[in-house]
Amino acid sequence: MNCNTVGRLTRDNSTAGSNAANINRRAEEHILVCLSSSPSNPRIIRTAARMVEAYHGRFTALFVETPTVSGMCTEDKKRLEDNKQLAQRLGAHVEVVFGEDVPFQIAEFARLAEVSIIVIGRSNATRKGIFSKPTLTERLILDAPRVEVHVIPDGNLEQGSERRRMLPAKKPRILLKDVIVTFLVLLAVTLVGVLFYRLGFSDANLVSIYIFAVLMISILTTDFYCGVVASVISVLVFNFLFTVPRYTFHFSDPDYFVTFPIMFMVAILSGSLASRLKDNARQAAHADYRTRILFETNQLLQKGHDEGYIVKATAEQILKLLERDVVIYLSDAHGDKLEEPAIFRTPGSKLQPLDTEMEKEAANWVFKNRHKAGLGTAQYPEASCLYFPIRISQQAYGVAGIAIHKQVLDPFENSILRSMLGECALAIENIRNAREKEEAAILAQNEQLRANLLRTISHDLRTPLTSISGNADNLLCNYEKMDDASRKQAFRDIYEDSEWLINLVENLLAITRIEDGRVKLSLSVELMDEVITEALHHVSKKREEHTIRVTSEEDLILVRIDARLIVQVLINLVNNAIKYTQPGSVIEIHTSKKGQEVYVSVTDNGPGIPDDQKIQIFDMFYTGKQKLADSRRSLGLGLALCKSIVNAHGGSIKVEDNMPHGSVFTFTLPAGEVTLRE
């Protein structure tokens, strides 16, 4: 492979298709770039970003967190975080996986995420022999045979290797606690060894307890070098105390030339395995804790039906995870700007201000640029918080700020925090999508009502308009030939049809204003008998064909109402009774008072209303199946208007059967009181 060119390794033996086929295939590419703390990693990330731009594909940046990550120096940790931010700025979705086998983790992620191209940097590690360990590139090719692996060489790799060889070796840092633990464990097993020696145990048993001591030290201490030192001391102590001649570092038995090296290597290997097992256990515990926190967060967020609950649940989970103050800004409904922040404190917090102008500027910058900023970053480093966008892809729904005092977030905390904020963004998106669907459903319902209105009006207004037009034409053409009775009948028909149209228009205008909330009630205390009398002056002229009675349980019943609207309710109910009953029927208007409510009922002895229609009778445009007494179809607006007006007064309306036949419409109104002033 030429070091000056981009190496491309693949095991796909299929030939390339036509240019058009390649373009279509490339349009669906999913490109994965591997993150690391290497100084050359930014070059790798930018190369992968250019490939994504050329192929118009998806872009993912993957970091494999191994047990050695916790031992990274501060410079490497900062460089790794900078590389993650660079990948995000270039449009990558950053993912973190946990494992010791880096090539296997990359290959598994590529398989599960349907990655088609992997971009990695060239390592200076090469195979030195047939039996040597395969390189990272070779392992990737073996583990992911269906994925193209693009290797980006580093022109400064040789200089970097030479510079690393010139740097002084990093001295191991052993804590005093580890030294004490090592000393105590070795002392304890030495005392046990002396006891075993006096009891006549063999050398194999004595060697075993020292190997056990090395295992214990590797598990109980934090540094690998403690196990190495313990291995050396174990061999020396065994030689000094238990080999002949005793209490010297000499030995007379030549078999110890084999025993000591084997004892040392077994101790070193056992300690190394124990240390690796401990690191793997810690990493597994981290992964388990991360999964548990995310699962718990997901369960809490699924219960939320409003954004306030989502913000509170997310903040409580972050407080539980990080034990730091949290401030969350949500975007407005249009997603244009941030609203006022919600601040969540930990017990015993210093109550440092988290909503200053500087903090808000940092949060707005994060919301606008979709990248983190604040303390420890290049943008707004003087801020008190580290701010992260609450986003899915490039759609941001808010900003979360984490108060940073002295200790910055480690890679594990950073990773789990981003996952929690992603869950929060998804929950907010679902709520806003549900709200938009609900608004769209209401809009569609309103459009359907308008369509029903137009269809009904265009069909049902034809009869009265045709009657008016026909009678008017007959009067114009045959006025002198018609007798007085015929002319009066024609005028009466024109009047009744025009009254029906006027009543329809009034109902339409009234119900539209009430449903839209554009009607403000002009409430006043009125005498119910006077309201009923006013309504009867405006009912249909056919009232003369019916008997209308007004009764009341009390002489004076006062109500607090908008008299104009309640008059309309009574007109509609009485006209409805006149329409659906035969001439000669009795219509009764009855009023009563119970507590703070006044009950008004309109009763008729007509054919009544079937039970299956009582539920829908107050719906707009519902007309039922029964024929009208005057053979004219109704638009189904009168009762809908009555319900809207009564509900606006805080009352209710219902229909019941009138025994033995007929219907009773009853509605309630708030009772009124007269204040006397002296």
Side-chain angles (χ1 to χ4, degrees):
M1 182 183 298
N2 190 349
C3 293
N4 296 323
T5 60
V6 175
R8 176 178 177 180
L9 303 176
T10 179
R11 295 180 62 89
D12 188 1
N13 296 322
S14 61
T15 59
S18 63
N19 291 336
N22 281 335
I23 291 174
N24 291 334
R25 184 177 68 85
R26 292 298 186 186
E28 301 175 354
E29 297 285 12
H30 184 186
I31 298 175
L32 174 70
V33 64
C34 299
L35 297 176
S36 70
S37 60
S38 170
S40 63
N41 196 236
R43 181 169 177 262
I44 315 301
I45 297 172
R46 292 189 178 92
T47 302
R50 287 195 293 269
M51 294 175 65
V52 172
E53 184 178 359
Y55 296 153
H56 303 287
R58 291 182 292 160
F59 191 18
T60 301
L62 177 68
F63 174 66
V64 181
E65 184 172 331
T66 63
T68 59
V69 170
S70 58
M72 291 173 58
C73 64
T74 304
E75 182 181 356
D76 286 342
K77 289 183 179 179
K78 185 178 184 305
R79 192 183 297 117
L80 174 61
E81 188 61 30
D82 292 341
N83 293 340
K84 287 183 181 179
Q85 293 185 34
L86 174 62
Q88 287 180 329
R89 287 196 299 270
L90 295 177
H93 179 66
V94 177
E95 292 284 353
V96 179
V97 296
F98 301 88
E100 186 176 357
D101 192 342
V102 176
F104 174 76
Q105 294 295 336
I106 296 175
E108 277 298 293
F109 182 88
R111 181 179 65 83
L112 296 175
E114 298 182 348
V115 173
S116 55
I117 296 176
I118 297 177
V119 181
I120 61 174
R122 180 179 180 273
S123 172
N124 62 341
T126 58
R127 295 189 67 171
K128 297 180 174 57
I130 298 176
F131 300 102
S132 60
K133 186 178 179 180
T135 63
L136 172 63
T137 303
E138 292 170 337
R139 281 286 310 278
L140 276 180
I141 295 174
L142 292 173
D143 293 341
R146 300 180 182 275
V147 181
E148 298 178 4
V149 181
H150 292 246
V151 183
I152 312 300
D154 185 4
N156 299 323
L157 188 62
E158 298 300 331
Q159 299 178 8
S161 301
E162 186 67 26
R163 186 177 67 87
R164 283 193 295 271
R165 285 194 293 269
M166 295 174 61
L167 290 175
K170 184 180 178 181
K171 295 182 180 180
R173 183 173 64 91
I174 301 179
L175 300 177
L176 178 61
K177 172 187 173 184
D178 294 339
V179 174
I180 296 175
V181 170
T182 303
F183 174 77
L184 292 178
V185 172
L186 288 176
L187 178 61
V189 298
T190 299
L191 295 176
V192 174
V194 171
L195 177 62
F196 282 7
Y197 182 81
R198 292 182 177 179
L199 294 176
F201 285 85
S202 64
D203 290 348
N205 292 321
L206 298 176
V207 170
S208 299
I209 65 171
Y210 277 101
I211 293 177
F212 175 75
V214 173
L215 286 173
M216 290 295 297
I217 291 171
S218 299
I219 293 174
L220 297 176
T221 57
T222 59
D223 201 290
F224 169 75
Y225 293 101
C226 291
V228 175
V229 172
S231 301
V232 175
I233 295 176
S234 297
V235 174
L236 295 177
V237 171
F238 179 80
N239 182 20
F240 185 78
L241 295 178
F242 306 115
T243 61
V244 180
R246 297 182 65 191
Y247 308 117
T248 67
F249 291 104
H250 301 287
F251 51 89
S252 59
D253 191 346
D255 292 342
Y256 285 119
F257 280 108
V258 178
T259 302
F260 289 159
I262 292 178
M263 178 182 175
F264 178 73
M265 288 187 293
V266 169
I268 289 290
L269 180 60
S270 301
S272 176
L273 291 177
S275 178
R276 181 176 297 182
L277 181 63
K278 182 177 63 175
D279 290 338
N280 288 338
R282 183 175 61 251
Q283 190 178 49
H286 274 182
D288 178 69
Y289 181 70
R290 178 177 184 269
T291 303
R292 185 154 40 87
I293 284 289
L294 291 179
F295 180 72
E296 183 180 345
T297 303
N298 182 267
Q299 283 187 318
L300 287 174
L301 297 184
Q302 284 183 351
K303 299 177 183 178
H305 299 289
D306 62 89
E307 296 177 8
Y309 175 87
I310 298 298
V311 168
K312 183 180 179 182
T314 303
E316 289 177 349
Q317 290 297 101
I318 295 176
L319 290 175
K320 182 190 301 183
L321 173 68
L322 304 178
E323 295 184 353
R324 304 167 188 254
D325 294 345
V326 179
V327 55
I328 295 182
Y329 297 78
L330 273 186
S331 63
D332 59 6
H334 303 289
D336 299 330
K337 60 180 181 179
L338 296 178
E339 297 179 344
E340 287 300 311
I343 300 176
F344 302 87
R345 302 281 187 178
T346 58
S349 173
K350 295 181 179 179
L351 298 179
Q352 63 183 116
L354 302 179
D355 54 354
T356 62
E357 289 301 321
M358 180 193 302
E359 303 295 327
K360 291 181 179 180
E361 289 179 9
N364 282 311
W365 187 93
V366 172
F367 180 71
K368 180 179 179 181
N369 295 275
R370 309 298 195 259
H371 299 296
K372 74 174 184 179
L375 187 64
T377 66
Q379 299 292 335
Y380 297 94
E382 65 279 5
S384 301
C385 296
L386 179 60
Y387 291 95
F388 295 85
I390 303 175
R391 67 184 180 96
I392 300 177
S393 298
Q394 292 301 315
Q395 179 62 44
Y397 295 97
V399 173
I402 311 299
I404 305 295
H405 304 296
K406 294 181 179 179
Q407 186 178 3
V408 298
L409 300 180
D410 60 35
F412 174 75
E413 292 175 337
N414 202 305
S415 171
I416 192 172
L417 176 62
R418 291 182 184 275
S419 299
M420 292 172 66
L421 295 180
E423 292 283 345
C424 176
L426 181 61
I428 294 174
E429 183 178 61
N430 291 337
I431 289 176
R432 295 191 176 182
N433 288 342
R435 186 186 304 143
E436 291 177 0
K437 289 181 180 179
E438 183 178 354
E439 293 174 354
I442 294 175
L443 182 61
Q445 183 180 7
N446 292 337
E447 291 297 329
Q448 184 65 35
L449 289 176
R450 293 187 182 95
N452 290 341
L453 175 62
L454 292 175
R455 183 172 58 252
T456 306
I457 288 179
S458 62
H459 181 272
D460 293 338
L461 296 190
R462 192 172 300 167
T463 299
L465 290 176
T466 301
S467 175
I468 292 173
S469 176
N471 285 322
D473 182 68
N474 190 23
L475 288 171
L476 288 173
C477 297
N478 303 310
Y479 185 81
E480 295 180 354
K481 299 178 181 179
M482 299 171 63
D483 55 18
D484 290 340
S486 299
R487 286 196 291 266
K488 287 182 179 180
Q489 183 61 42
F491 285 130
R492 187 180 298 109
D493 291 341
I494 292 175
Y495 175 79
E496 290 181 355
D497 288 330
S498 61
E499 280 290 312
W500 188 84
L501 289 175
I502 291 172
N503 186 55
L504 167 66
V505 173
E506 289 295 331
N507 282 342
L508 277 175
L509 293 176
I511 197 170
T512 302
R513 288 194 298 267
I514 292 175
E515 292 295 329
D516 291 345
R518 291 185 284 118
V519 171
K520 293 183 179 180
L521 300 181
S522 179
L523 299 177
S524 60
V525 178
E526 304 287 344
L527 189 62
M528 196 63 213
D529 286 344
E530 294 180 355
V531 176
I532 295 173
T533 301
E534 178 66 21
L536 293 178
H537 286 313
H538 301 280
V539 298
S540 172
K541 297 297 182 181
K542 291 188 175 183
R543 60 170 292 186
E544 299 174 357
E545 301 175 1
H546 302 263
T547 301
I548 299 178
R549 294 200 297 257
V550 179
T551 60
S552 178
E553 292 184 359
E554 300 181 16
D555 294 336
L556 297 176
I557 295 181
L558 299 176
V559 288
R560 182 174 175 78
I561 57 172
D562 187 322
R564 177 178 55 87
L565 295 178
I566 299 303
V567 165
Q568 186 66 42
V569 171
L570 290 169
I571 292 174
N572 288 347
L573 291 178
V574 174
N575 283 342
N576 193 66
I578 292 173
K579 287 179 185 179
Y580 287 95
T581 57
Q582 297 297 330
S585 62
V586 178
I587 300 172
E588 180 180 358
I589 304 174
H590 180 74
T591 58
S592 62
K593 181 180 179 182
K594 296 179 181 179
Q596 296 300 316
E597 288 186 323
V598 173
Y599 290 78
V600 182
S601 60
V602 178
T603 306
D604 64 68
N605 56 357
I609 300 173
D611 292 337
D612 60 340
Q613 297 182 23
K614 291 177 181 176
I615 300 176
Q616 298 175 285
I617 199 170
F618 293 103
D619 294 341
M620 199 179 300
F621 304 119
Y622 182 78
T623 58
K625 300 178 182 178
Q626 67 268 41
K627 283 189 174 182
L628 297 178
D630 60 359
S631 299
R632 180 185 293 134
R633 184 178 176 185
S634 170
L635 287 181
L637 294 175
L639 294 180
L641 176 60
C642 293
K643 180 180 178 181
S644 298
I645 294 175
V646 171
N647 288 344
H649 283 78
S652 61
I653 187 171
K654 63 180 180 179
V655 58
E656 297 174 315
D657 292 331
N658 181 32
M659 297 302 176
H661 52 81
S663 301
V664 180
F665 287 86
T666 304
F667 62 93
T668 62
L669 297 171
E673 296 180 356
V674 176
T675 303
L676 299 177
R677 298 181 181 178
E678 296 182 357

